[in-house]
Amino acid sequence: MSAWDSKEKEEVNVILNLFIVLPLKMEILFVAIVLVFVSVVILVLILLAAGISSVFGAGFRTVFVNGLWVLLLPPVIVLTGYLIGRNSLVVNHIEVGSESVPASFDGYRIVQISDMHLRSFRDRPEVLLKIIGRINAENPDLIVFSGDLVTAHPDEILPFADMLGRLEAEDGVVSVMGNHDYCPYNKWDSDRERISAIDTVRSRERRLGWNLLDNAHVDLVRTDLSGRSRDTISVIGVENISEMKQFESHGDLGKAMSGARGAFKILVSHDPTHWRAEVLGMADIGLTLSGHTHNAQFRLFGLEPSRLVFKENSGMYTEETAFGRQRLYVNDGLGTTLFPARIGVKAEITVFTLKHIQ
């Protein structure tokens, strides 16, 4: 990409080393703490099972010793999630039908991706390259990125800039800011330094050729079959908005929607809690695309811990309102944060096909 000068490209190897060594230590520590905690819980359960069994005549020692093998399961599951799970990809195809979808947009293909957390690809750039190839293979009309390009620092973008610039769609790539893109999880010497980092994230994202929608929208226009009418859908993007106090909110939905002319409106909002707070039954938006949750990167035997935190944690949600049928889709994301594994939750590409309903 010509937009990236030689000095920036020379920094790539240094940056790769920076984002391999330091974060890796944090991730190892986090995984170790989780494994110790889970192992203690399992050990207590084994002791309880042995104690209860002894009441009914079984030997305490026999039940306890035979139960110790269960302690092997947590590290095996985590290792599998690290070696296989985080590198696995699923492509979900979803049809979105509505009377509001103009006839000329029937069959329009939107690919949603989310939560790259580029630092998490520091030791596996070939996986990201494969993902990009898979996205382009879907021949999208539009690519939507629903936030969290970085994890902590804008320099995470540089090693992958050329790669990300290869994303192709007829109407380009639109994106929004996620909570991590405001770089709150890095130690900065001053507020000014952090603000500069946020500006750098924005600048580098736009230099990828992406249309970063900071409380703004884009109207997409097609000529109908008669050639006389111009149909329009609107893609609206807000900065991060969250109902959870630990996450920053900077978005302005009213500003983003102002002047949007689309018969069918699509909102890109990183945090799914925004849907119930300000969209559902309150704004003329047929489809909202979010990410953020990663579905906790964990699903085992149908159990999804992220449901304890998010009412809408993964997949499609639909409700009938005064504005008709309103949908929210929560994408499970591509990268990882803190926990460098995906257990039962694959990295996700979602392909939406719009359908005109008469």
Side-chain angles (χ1 to χ4, degrees):
M1 291 176 58
S2 59
W4 304 88
D5 61 39
S6 58
K7 182 179 179 181
E8 287 174 315
K9 290 182 179 180
E10 289 173 2
E11 294 174 353
V12 165
N13 289 333
V14 175
I15 291 166
L16 275 173
N17 290 330
L18 173 65
F19 291 110
I20 288 176
V21 179
L22 297 180
L24 186 59
K25 292 180 179 178
M26 294 176 58
E27 291 172 355
I28 291 173
L29 178 61
F30 178 78
V31 171
I33 292 171
V34 170
L35 286 177
V36 169
F37 174 78
V38 173
S39 296
V40 169
V41 171
I42 290 175
L43 190 59
V44 170
L45 292 175
I46 293 172
L47 286 168
L48 287 173
I52 294 171
S53 298
S54 65
V55 173
F56 294 95
F60 178 91
R61 178 183 176 83
T62 300
V63 174
F64 177 74
V65 172
N66 288 337
L68 288 178
W69 70 268
V70 180
L71 290 171
L72 295 175
L73 287 179
V76 168
I77 290 172
V78 170
L79 186 61
T80 302
Y82 175 78
L83 295 176
I84 300 174
R86 70 173 181 149
N87 296 321
S88 300
L89 180 69
V90 62
V91 181
N92 290 320
H93 291 80
I94 298 174
E95 186 175 291
V96 177
S98 173
E99 295 177 354
S100 299
V101 172
S104 59
F105 280 90
D106 186 71
Y108 191 85
R109 291 166 65 83
I110 299 171
V111 167
Q112 181 198 10
I113 51 176
S114 191
D115 298 86
M116 281 191 184
H117 295 284
L118 287 172
R119 189 174 75 180
S120 67
F121 289 97
R122 63 196 179 276
D123 58 340
R124 53 193 184 114
E126 72 285 351
V127 175
L128 183 58
L129 185 61
K130 180 181 177 181
I131 289 171
I132 290 171
R134 190 67 184 83
I135 293 168
N136 289 339
E138 291 294 329
N139 296 314
D141 293 293
L142 179 72
I143 297 172
V144 170
F145 177 69
S146 48
D148 277 2
L149 185 60
V150 303
T151 296
H153 198 285
D155 283 353
E156 295 173 44
I157 300 171
L158 287 179
F160 305 100
D162 288 345
M163 198 180 297
L164 294 173
R166 299 178 190 180
L167 286 171
E168 296 179 352
E170 183 176 351
D171 289 321
V173 181
V174 299
S175 62
V176 297
M177 298 281 281
N179 58 297
H180 279 266
D181 295 321
Y182 297 97
C183 305
Y185 309 110
N186 193 69
K187 186 177 180 180
W188 303 103
D189 292 332
S190 65
D191 289 340
R192 178 178 294 181
E193 188 178 19
R194 182 188 164 196
I195 291 171
S196 176
I198 298 170
D199 289 341
T200 301
V201 171
R202 284 191 168 101
S203 173
R204 287 178 177 169
E205 196 159 330
R206 290 187 171 111
R207 288 168 67 188
L208 295 173
W210 298 6
N211 183 3
L212 179 60
L213 298 176
D214 277 343
N215 303 318
H217 69 271
V218 58
D219 288 331
L220 303 174
V221 180
R222 293 284 187 275
T223 302
D224 69 4
L225 296 177
S226 69
R228 294 189 296 269
S229 177
R230 292 169 64 83
D231 294 331
T232 305
I233 65 172
S234 296
V235 180
I236 299 154
V238 292
E239 295 190 57
N240 197 62
I241 299 176
S242 179
E243 283 295 283
M244 306 176 75
K245 293 182 179 179
Q246 64 266 41
F247 301 118
E248 299 181 23
S249 291
H250 300 276
D252 186 333
L253 181 60
K255 177 182 178 182
M257 291 187 67
S258 179
R261 297 183 290 107
F264 186 74
K265 296 180 178 66
I266 300 168
L267 172 65
V268 189
S269 181
H270 178 69
D271 191 314
T273 63
H274 180 213
W275 190 58
R276 287 195 177 275
E278 194 178 17
V279 179
L280 188 62
M282 292 173 272
D284 181 19
I285 294 171
L287 175 64
T288 299
L289 304 178
S290 297
H292 183 59
T293 72
H294 303 206
N295 201 8
Q297 296 164 215
F298 187 91
R299 182 194 296 113
L300 194 62
F301 305 122
L303 299 176
E304 299 180 357
S306 63
R307 289 182 181 177
L308 300 174
V309 181
F310 297 96
K311 186 175 180 64
E312 290 82 25
N313 67 309
S314 176
M316 181 69 83
Y317 301 86
T318 304
E319 290 201 18
E320 296 292 339
T321 73
F323 295 102
R325 180 171 295 177
Q326 292 188 284
R327 300 174 175 90
L328 165 70
Y329 193 86
V330 184
N331 184 287
D332 288 340
L334 295 173
T336 62
T337 50
L338 195 57
F339 185 58
R342 282 179 171 265
I343 299 169
V345 179
K346 295 181 179 181
E348 179 181 10
I349 296 170
T350 315
V351 184
F352 298 94
T353 301
L354 302 186
K355 289 295 181 181
H356 170 68
I357 298 177
Q358 295 183 345

